[in-house]
Every structure is written in structure tokens, then in C-alpha cells.
Amino acid sequence: MENELVEGYRLSPQQRAAWRGGCGRAVSCRIEVTGPLEDQRLRDAIRQVIARHQILRTGFRTVSGLNYPLQQIHSDSSPELLEFAWEHHSPTQHTLRIAASPLCADPATLRLMAREIRAHCIGAAACEEALPYIQFAEWMNELSSDDGADAGRQFWLARTASVTPMVLPDERQEGGGSMCLSRVVEGRSLCRLAEQLQVPLSTVLMAALAVQFWRRTGESQTALYNLFPCRKYAELQEAIGPIARFLPVLMSMRPSLTFDELVRKIVADLQEIEAVEEYYGDESNEGGIGFEYREEEEGG
């Protein structure tokens, strides 16, 4: 029996991580729309956006002997990977919902899609051509064999060798930890604290979560997996597809550490990670608790 020839493209590290995770949790968003919105115009806008971006028309073909499927570009999207729904609350108030598999989208992708759909609905000029996702995937795969990437890979090898992912508190016996770190949080609102420390609210929330885990588990050296957009390069700003990654942020706790000091340590670690985020190993220490924070955005 002859072997079947299957053509396709390799998955990116982001897609391989989603595949290993079972692709269970869809990426989703809800957009509140103000103004007239015709069903047919919205359907046409969605079709134009899907036609413009290959990753939104990509299927995944499993092949015997390969650990991961291949990407295959189709003429239309799969309802299993991409879904749209909308409601009309009044002639001028509407809600659009988008849900997508992590194999083809990340949170930034949905925001970009919503912006493009809106532009088509109002007849605005088309956005500039975005980077095809298959090119991004190949670039990410080539980094694994790039001689110039040694420093970045060494950073992640050293980090993941010593990282202990956070586990849910009820998986450990409660105990350990000090009240020292939480007193500051109890006396002030987190928003005000973020303003005073001149850091994003997400950083303060991450620090507060780390404190609670430490108090419950007594684990002084651990990591929280923060979702990084990974779009620092200009070519990726408008790119559609799964580009964001959950990367481990180190949490080193001790009784004498103040909450402000913990926040500043997290800020420094986030900056260090962003410099080498693209070199994160494909099989690096996964399975920890993920952290994602996004503020509500106004609709159009």
C-alpha cells in the first residue's frame, strides 16, 4: 500500500502548546456595538476578514508518524475553530461575540478582527496587508536552530530547570507564609496601589495572587505563567493568529519582603522576559497556573 502524500505547514510553538493542552479553552471576546447594524453587511464583513487572513481558514490534519498535525489552508473557515454570533438589543445597540480555537487566535487577534469587521461594516479603507501566520510559524521554528539565539535559549534553560509551577492550594497542606506581605493590600485598594507604585494594575494583581499562594502553600520559590502578547516587533502588531505565550514569571518569597519590593521584582522579571520571549523552548516546563489580565475595551 502506497504512502499518502500530505502537504501542509508545521505548527508554531504556540500551536503545539495548544495542541498538547487539548485545545480545550476557546479564546473569546464580546463587543458592544452602537449604531445601525445590518445582518447582511455584518456577514459580508466577517467573510471579507476570513478571506483576508489564511490562519482563519486553516484546518489541522493529523498524519501517521507525526506528533503534531499539519496546517492546511482552506477556502473557508471551520465552525469548530471559529464562531460568530450577534444580538440586536435595539436598532442602535448590538452585541457581537467571537470565539476561536487557540490554534488560530489569541486575545489580540480577536481585537484586530473586531476592528477589521467594524471597518468593513462602515465602508472604511482596508487595513495594510498583515504578516501571514505560516511565515510567523516558520520564523519561530527556525529560531530553534539559529546560532544567534544561544543566549536566549540559555536564559530559558536555566530558568525552567529551577522553576516549580504553582499548584492549586487544595493540592498542598495549608501552612507557612507570613501576613507581612498582605497587610499593604488590605489597607489600600489595588488600583490606588498600582498608581502609587506607577505600575500596571495587572502587576499588582499578579503580586497579590503570588502572596496568597505563598501563604497557603509555604512554597518560597515558584512561578506564575503570565500571558505575554509577544508582539514587540512591528511586523507582529497587526498579525492575526496565536502569537501570545504563557511564560513563567519567578516568585521568590521571604518573610522580610515587602509587597512593594515584590511588585518591583516582578516588574524587573517581566522586562527581562520580554527581551528573550521568542526563544522560549517548545517543550519548556508547562502545566503551571496561567495568569491573564485584560481591561474591558469600548466597542465601536
Side-chain angles (χ1 to χ4, degrees), residues 3-55:
N3 293 329
E4 181 184 6
L5 178 62
V6 179
E7 295 184 355
Y9 302 93
R10 291 186 294 174
L11 301 188
S12 68
Q14 288 87 333
Q15 291 172 312
R16 289 195 289 271
W19 186 264
R20 290 194 298 273
C23 310
R25 190 174 74 90
V27 185
S28 62
C29 73
R30 184 184 69 184
I31 303 104
E32 301 299 334
V33 182
T34 301
L37 183 64
E38 299 175 4
D39 285 357
Q40 189 57 51
R41 176 169 290 187
L42 180 56
R43 291 190 186 96
D44 290 343
I46 291 172
R47 278 196 289 266
Q48 291 181 60
V49 171
I50 291 174
R52 184 168 179 266
H53 300 285
Q54 293 177 339
I55 188 61

Side-chain angles (χ1 to χ4, degrees), residues 218-239:
E219 189 72 57
S220 60
Q221 297 287 337
T222 187
L224 186 64
Y225 282 70
N226 180 60
L227 184 64
F228 286 79
C230 297
R231 294 173 179 263
K232 63 185 179 183
Y233 298 114
E235 299 88 339
L236 301 180
Q237 292 295 314
E238 304 295 318

Side-chain angles (χ1 to χ4, degrees), residues 149-163 247-248 250 268-277 279-281 284:
D150 287 345
R153 287 198 294 269
Q154 288 301 319
F155 172 89
W156 287 115
L157 285 173
R159 170 163 296 214
T160 55
S162 59
V163 158
L247 304 177
L250 295 182
D269 202 42
L270 293 174
Q271 293 172 345
E272 190 173 19
I273 289 172
E274 185 177 0
V276 293
E277 60 191 12
Y279 303 112
Y280 185 62
S284 297

Side-chain angles (χ1 to χ4, degrees), residues 70-110:
L70 294 176
Q71 300 186 72
Q72 294 184 322
I73 300 171
H74 302 310
S75 59
D76 203 355
S77 65
S78 167
E80 296 179 359
L81 300 177
L82 191 61
E83 294 183 355
F84 297 89
W86 57 90
E87 298 177 58
H88 301 294
H89 307 295
S90 75
T92 58
Q93 296 294 327
H94 324 273
T95 299
L96 171 64
R97 293 180 174 85
I98 307 175
S101 164
L103 288 171
C104 66
D106 62 7
T109 289
L110 298 192

Side-chain angles (χ1 to χ4, degrees), residues 62-287:
T62 57
V63 180
S64 177
L66 296 181
N67 294 327
Y68 299 100
L70 294 176
Q71 300 186 72
Q72 294 184 322
I73 300 171
H74 302 310
S75 59
D76 203 355
S77 65
S78 167
E80 296 179 359
L81 300 177
L82 191 61
E83 294 183 355
F84 297 89
W86 57 90
E87 298 177 58
H88 301 294
H89 307 295
S90 75
T92 58
Q93 296 294 327
H94 324 273
T95 299
L96 171 64
R97 293 180 174 85
I98 307 175
S101 164
L103 288 171
C104 66
D106 62 7
T109 289
L110 298 192
R111 292 194 291 273
L112 290 168
M113 288 174 59
R115 189 184 69 185
E116 287 192 26
I117 290 171
R118 179 180 183 276
H120 284 295
C121 283
I122 64 176
C127 303
E128 295 182 5
E129 194 65 27
L131 177 73
Y133 190 79
I134 55 174
Q135 292 186 23
F136 167 79
E138 282 306 303
W139 172 66
M140 290 294 294
N141 288 320
E142 289 171 2
L143 284 178
S144 61
S145 57
D146 183 1
D147 293 337
D150 287 345
R153 287 198 294 269
Q154 288 301 319
F155 172 89
W156 287 115
L157 285 173
R159 170 163 296 214
T160 55
S162 59
V163 158
T164 302
M166 286 184 176
V167 297
L168 294 176
D170 58 5
E171 296 177 4
R172 296 276 189 88
Q173 183 177 356
E174 185 174 347
S178 165
M179 292 292 291
C180 168
L181 290 174
S182 63
R183 285 176 183 160
V184 177
V185 180
E186 293 169 359
R188 292 179 281 176
S189 73
L190 293 178
C191 291
R192 185 179 304 171
L193 182 58
E195 292 176 0
Q196 291 175 344
L197 296 177
Q198 297 183 333
V199 298
L201 176 59
S202 59
T203 306
V204 174
L205 291 171
M206 193 184 306
L209 181 59
V211 169
Q212 294 304 314
F213 273 98
W214 180 58
R215 291 177 60 194
R216 294 289 301 276
T217 67
E219 189 72 57
S220 60
Q221 297 287 337
T222 187
L224 186 64
Y225 282 70
N226 180 60
L227 184 64
F228 286 79
C230 297
R231 294 173 179 263
K232 63 185 179 183
Y233 298 114
E235 299 88 339
L236 301 180
Q237 292 295 314
E238 304 295 318
I240 297 291
I243 295 175
R245 307 184 79 176
F246 282 98
L247 304 177
V249 180
L250 295 182
M251 303 291 172
S252 299
M253 318 293 278
R254 64 178 189 276
S256 61
L257 189 69
T258 68
F259 190 81
D260 291 9
E261 289 172 338
L262 175 61
V263 169
R264 293 190 179 94
K265 284 171 66 68
I266 292 175
V267 168
D269 202 42
L270 293 174
Q271 293 172 345
E272 190 173 19
I273 289 172
E274 185 177 0
V276 293
E277 60 191 12
E278 62 267 38
Y279 303 112
Y280 185 62
D282 186 32
E283 302 291 345
S284 297
N285 197 358
E286 296 178 344

